[in-house]
Amino acid sequence: MRPDAQRNRERILEVALIELTRAADAPLSVIAKKAGVGQGTFYRNFPHREALVLEVYRYEMQQVADAAGQLLRTCPPDRALREWMDRLARYAMAKAGLADALGKSTGRPGGLARLGHGPVTRAVEQLLSANERAGTIRPGLAPEDFLLAIAGLWQIDPHSDWRPRAERLLDLVMDGLRAGAPGAERRD
């Protein structure tokens, strides 16, 4: 892709993220105009709404997943896991409008979980493995079990005072992960 074409695509995705998070049914013409591209350029990159929404969602989920490796390089494994969970919670609450856009665009219930499954599952696997090696969580946990344990995040109303509730949920999950860990130090 030519550099100018790549910049156009990135601008479209940046604007789409903002507009679709704000309103699930944001007009594509408004997104194109705010991105500073013509209709032809827009539709060459994203021939229909679903293609745009899916790409925005994939990109955002990849960013969340990539944070796992960054945190493991700078924090002890258990702290990295907990901070990653906080980032996931912030993402889930901030991007609730994007989830609505995906649901409206694709009409597939549960599609969100499947779309981000690969990168997020790999990130969880990386975090759980590092913690298991460090002895900070119980051994033998599967990424799918972890994802089920934190699934309550998506039940929290993003328009409420969600932070205390998400923090309690994630602390509860961390306590459960630590139970039975060979080297875990209990927090009081």
Side-chain angles (χ1 to χ4, degrees):
M1 187 177 279
R2 294 183 340 245
D4 60 327
Q6 182 63 35
R7 282 190 302 275
N8 285 341
R9 182 176 174 80
E10 288 170 5
R11 271 198 321 276
I12 293 168
L13 289 171
E14 288 168 11
V15 171
L17 173 62
I18 293 165
E19 294 302 314
L20 292 170
T21 299
R22 188 176 302 143
D25 56 354
L28 299 182
S29 59
V30 169
I31 294 170
K33 185 175 182 176
K34 287 186 176 185
V37 300
Q39 295 294 317
T41 298
F42 182 90
Y43 285 106
R44 259 191 310 283
N45 283 282
F46 305 102
H48 46 78
R49 177 177 288 278
E50 182 177 342
L52 174 65
V53 174
L54 291 173
E55 185 58 28
V56 168
Y57 184 77
R58 279 189 197 105
Y59 175 79
E60 286 296 297
M61 289 308 293
Q62 188 64 54
Q63 299 305 305
V64 170
D66 289 347
Q70 296 162 358
L71 288 165
L72 283 169
R73 287 189 291 278
T74 59
C75 302
D78 58 338
R79 189 73 231 143
L81 177 60
R82 185 61 178 84
E83 286 188 28
W84 186 83
M85 290 164 59
D86 286 338
R87 287 183 186 201
L88 183 63
R90 285 192 306 271
Y91 170 80
M93 297 303 114
K95 305 302 187 242
L98 183 57
D100 291 343
L102 184 64
K104 285 182 179 182
S105 175
T106 64
R108 291 189 307 251
L112 280 175
R114 286 191 298 279
L115 283 173
H117 186 68
V120 171
T121 299
R122 286 188 294 279
V124 169
E125 201 168 64
Q126 182 182 17
L127 288 159
L128 293 178
S129 293
N131 275 279
E132 192 172 324
R133 285 190 304 275
T136 54
I137 64 170
R138 68 177 62 200
L141 293 167
E144 294 78 13
D145 296 334
F146 173 84
L147 292 170
L148 279 173
I150 65 166
L153 280 175
W154 284 268
Q155 302 305 311
I156 299 172
D157 179 0
H159 305 293
S160 69
D161 184 17
W162 62 267
R163 288 181 195 277
R165 199 161 193 201
E167 192 164 314
R168 284 190 307 271
L169 172 69
L170 297 178
D171 283 345
L172 181 64
V173 170
M174 278 303 294
D175 288 346
L177 294 173
R178 287 182 177 122
E185 296 175 10
R186 303 297 293 179
R187 291 187 307 155
D188 293 323

